[in-house]
Amino acid sequence: MEGQDEVSAREQHFHSQVRESTICFLLFAILYIVSYFIITRYKRKSDEQEDEDAIVNRISLFLSTFTLAVSAGAVLLLPFSIISNEILLSFPQNYYIQWLNGSLIHGLWNLASLFSNLCLFVLMPFAFFFLESEGFAGLKKGIRARILETVVMLVLLALLILGIVWVASALIDNDAASMESLYDLWEFYLPYLYSCISLMGCLLLLLCTPVGLSRMFTVMGQLLVKPTILEDLDEQIYIITLEEEALQRRLNGLSSSVDYNIMDLEQELENVKTLKTKLERRKKASAWERNLVYPAVMVLLLIETSISVLLVACNILCLLVDETAMPKGTRGPGIGNASLSAFGFVGAALEIILIFYLMVSSVVGFYSLRFFGNFIPKKDDTTMTKIIGNCVSILVLSSALPVMSRTLDSSLVKMEKTSSRPGSQGL
């Protein structure tokens, strides 16, 4: 009898592992397909011929798509964990959601940590060096020569980083135990290095998020149609049309002997056409879109920004005056055992909205910084090198998002403790 129970337990454990693996694969496949369409939308269109550079670009495209999918998964993990907890609380005995359990959440967090390390330290450096490689001098040119050069560059880069960390550890903490811990590559060195990257991501997130919160109003104002108050769009379109025709006549009548800058006139004509397109879009927009959507979105942005700032101020004040609010590293109540918000499902939905709003604001703020302004992707005109840089930047920001969410609300700390295990230090 005991043997049958043991066999039944093994079969149940096997089926559970297969089910969780299938769910993880399906979720990642969906993220990968979406990421592929996003990257191909911005990637520069190259020739369709099957030459060596085309193969290298295709491999780099697949690696960049994988990294972007991992970044999206890291962003969605915390909201997915929160909403899973509330669903299990609402329907504890429902047979069709039994697959949504703590084991699945733990596995997703561990996979996100593993793939984040893999993308950050292996795949993205390989894609960049592989894209820039030409093969060592004296060797036959081809894919193998470029792979050999890329592998050599990765080994040299790993030795350089290992040496820097070793010297920094010797200068900061010259202890035999700390020096021996550097030998443990998997359990200490990589999580420590990834934690340092996450720290830089947190600093970058702290810099980008306030900028993004202020820029969100400008960005949404450019995307939406503003109300036409005391404006005559027909008159503006008529004036712009006359200006466009005048510039077109000047360009058609120019000759090489005339002291006019043709490039400046063409740029001015392009700006006039862009302004005319915007005015025509505003004219074609319905009254509901002009007079209701724009004010509603602006009010919603103002409310979300105010709530974010208020939660940050309250939580920081609690951390300063209440010692029990500090994270102690203890385990949480577990998935599906207790609600993470005092307001139940409504509070959890508010937390999820704020998490997404924070991530979008941080991305907008990142591209609004002057130093990273050249990273902005352009439709059908973005090089693979710039795509790799964007994927790495988004991966670093996404790895720091759970830590930033701790600053927003202390209830998210419980979710992170519940969903994390050893090996997911960066998330």
Side-chain angles (χ1 to χ4, degrees):
M1 196 68 182
E2 293 180 358
Q4 293 180 354
D5 293 339
E6 184 179 354
V7 171
S8 177
R10 288 180 180 179
E11 290 180 352
Q12 186 177 2
H13 179 72
F14 174 76
H15 291 306
S16 176
Q17 293 292 326
V18 172
R19 182 175 64 248
E20 292 175 7
S21 301
T22 305
I23 293 172
C24 294
F25 176 78
L26 291 177
L27 292 176
F28 185 78
I30 294 173
L31 293 177
Y32 188 89
I33 294 173
V34 174
S35 302
Y36 179 79
F37 282 112
I38 292 175
I39 291 181
T40 52
R41 177 181 176 83
Y42 291 98
K43 180 181 176 294
R44 177 177 295 175
K45 303 302 180 183
S46 57
D47 297 333
E48 298 298 331
Q49 55 185 357
E50 292 292 333
D51 57 355
E52 181 181 324
D53 291 334
I55 297 175
V56 172
N57 284 331
R58 191 175 297 113
I59 294 175
S60 301
L61 173 64
F62 292 153
L63 296 180
S64 301
T65 305
F66 184 87
T67 302
L68 187 60
V70 172
S71 304
V75 172
L76 295 174
L77 262 180
L78 193 56
F80 181 76
S81 303
I82 295 174
I83 197 171
S84 300
N85 183 75
E86 300 301 326
I87 290 175
L88 289 174
L89 279 176
S90 303
F91 308 99
Q93 303 298 329
N94 195 323
Y95 173 78
Y96 296 101
I97 62 170
Q98 292 303 311
W99 58 271
L100 198 63
N101 49 33
S103 177
L104 175 64
I105 303 299
H106 292 318
L108 289 174
W109 278 89
N110 290 334
L111 286 176
S113 176
L114 175 63
F115 287 153
S116 297
N117 282 280
L118 180 65
C119 294
L120 197 57
F121 299 119
V122 179
L123 297 186
M124 285 295 93
F126 179 85
F128 176 76
F129 289 126
F130 190 47
L131 197 65
E132 299 295 328
S133 64
E134 296 180 357
F136 290 114
L139 295 179
K140 183 180 179 181
K141 300 299 181 181
I143 298 296
R144 292 184 179 179
R146 300 181 73 161
I147 291 177
L148 178 61
E149 181 183 352
T150 303
V151 172
V152 171
M153 292 298 296
L154 287 178
V155 172
L156 293 177
L157 180 64
L159 293 176
L160 177 62
I161 296 177
L162 180 62
I164 292 175
V165 174
W166 192 280
V167 173
S169 178
L171 292 176
I172 296 174
D173 188 10
N174 192 9
D175 188 12
S178 62
M179 299 298 291
E180 290 179 359
S181 61
L182 288 177
Y183 289 108
D184 196 347
L185 185 66
W186 184 258
E187 294 293 335
F188 179 82
Y189 181 73
L190 285 180
Y192 174 74
L193 191 59
Y194 186 65
S195 298
C196 294
I197 302 263
S198 298
L199 175 61
M200 290 191 299
C202 290
L203 297 178
L204 183 61
L205 207 61
L206 289 173
L207 180 64
C208 296
T209 304
V211 179
L213 291 175
S214 62
R215 283 279 300 170
M216 284 293 292
F217 296 91
T218 305
V219 172
M220 296 306 297
Q222 295 173 352
L223 296 177
L224 299 176
V225 178
K226 298 181 181 179
T228 56
I229 302 175
L230 302 178
E231 285 185 299
D232 190 353
L233 294 179
D234 293 329
E235 182 180 357
Q236 294 184 22
I237 293 175
Y238 178 72
I239 295 174
I240 287 295
T241 303
L242 292 179
E243 186 176 355
E244 180 185 1
E245 293 177 353
L247 288 173
Q248 191 66 50
R249 284 194 299 269
R250 288 175 64 183
L251 280 174
N252 295 334
L254 285 180
S255 61
S256 58
S257 60
V258 182
D259 294 331
Y260 284 105
N261 194 337
I262 299 180
M263 298 297 296
D264 291 343
L265 286 178
E266 290 179 350
Q267 182 64 37
E268 186 177 356
L269 179 61
E270 188 68 26
N271 295 335
V272 169
K273 290 181 179 180
T274 303
L275 181 59
K276 182 181 177 180
T277 303
K278 292 181 179 179
L279 290 175
E280 290 177 348
R281 179 175 177 268
R282 291 182 61 186
K283 182 181 178 180
K284 294 178 180 179
S286 62
W288 288 96
E289 186 179 357
R290 289 196 304 265
N291 303 322
L292 181 62
V293 175
Y294 182 84
V297 171
M298 289 300 166
V299 171
L300 183 62
L301 287 178
L302 181 62
I303 292 174
E304 290 181 346
T305 304
S306 303
I307 293 176
S308 301
V309 174
L310 182 63
L311 286 176
V312 169
C314 293
N315 197 36
I316 290 177
L317 184 62
C318 290
L319 293 176
L320 290 176
V321 301
D322 188 7
E323 185 179 354
T324 60
M326 295 293 292
K328 303 296 184 181
T330 57
R331 301 290 297 179
I335 298 293
N337 293 330
S339 180
L340 301 173
S341 175
F343 300 99
F345 190 82
V346 176
L350 178 61
E351 290 176 353
I352 293 173
I353 293 174
L354 290 178
I355 289 172
F356 284 119
Y357 182 61
L358 267 182
M359 189 61 194
V360 174
S361 301
S362 64
V363 173
V364 172
F366 175 79
Y367 289 118
S368 300
L369 296 178
R370 182 176 301 178
F371 183 77
F372 301 104
N374 295 328
F375 271 56
I376 300 177
K378 299 179 181 179
K379 182 181 178 181
D380 297 333
D381 192 30
T382 307
T383 61
M384 276 306 306
T385 304
K386 189 176 291 186
I387 288 177
I388 292 173
N390 279 276
C391 291
V392 172
S393 302
I394 294 176
L395 179 61
V396 172
L397 290 175
S398 63
S399 67
L401 182 64
V403 183
M404 172 63 77
S405 301
R406 292 178 124 189
T407 311
L408 266 182
D409 193 351
S410 58
S411 66
L412 297 180
V413 178
K414 295 187 292 183
M415 187 72 255
E416 191 173 355
K417 292 174 185 175
T418 304
S419 304
S420 61
R421 277 185 175 180
S424 59
Q425 292 87 340
L427 294 174

